[in-house]
Amino acid sequence: MEQRISMWEKGQNALKPLFGINTYLKKSPLELSLRELVNFRVSQINKCAYCLDMHYMPKAKPNNVYTA
């Protein structure tokens, strides 16, 4: 399998736009559960194990209770 680019090696500046989008979406009327589902799917598409693990944890809560 081809080695993927490490976002940590390329610097945090590459992540700033992503965090900006997330900040914007937090202010939107989209429910947290939908935002997390989208984040999880994007992580699957990008094949990012770190992000998949990070976005999987809220789904493991009892009764799928989400808190902001």
Side-chain angles (χ1 to χ4, degrees):
M1 179 159 72
E2 184 180 330
Q3 177 64 35
R4 299 183 63 87
I5 296 172
S6 170
M7 62 184 175
W8 304 117
E9 290 176 10
K10 297 299 178 184
Q12 293 296 320
N13 289 336
L15 295 175
K16 285 183 182 179
L18 178 63
F19 294 143
I21 291 170
N22 193 38
T23 301
Y24 175 79
L25 288 175
K26 283 181 181 179
K27 298 175 186 176
S28 76
L30 294 177
E31 296 177 11
L32 177 60
S33 58
L34 179 58
R35 289 194 320 257
E36 280 299 317
L37 185 60
V38 170
N39 286 335
F40 188 76
R41 183 61 184 135
V42 169
S43 301
Q44 286 178 320
I45 292 168
N46 290 332
K47 299 177 184 174
C48 180
Y50 175 83
C51 295
L52 279 169
D53 185 53
M54 182 174 59
H55 294 297
Y56 175 76
M57 296 311 290
K59 285 143 204 62
K61 289 183 181 178
N63 301 321
N64 289 330
V65 175
Y66 294 92
T67 57

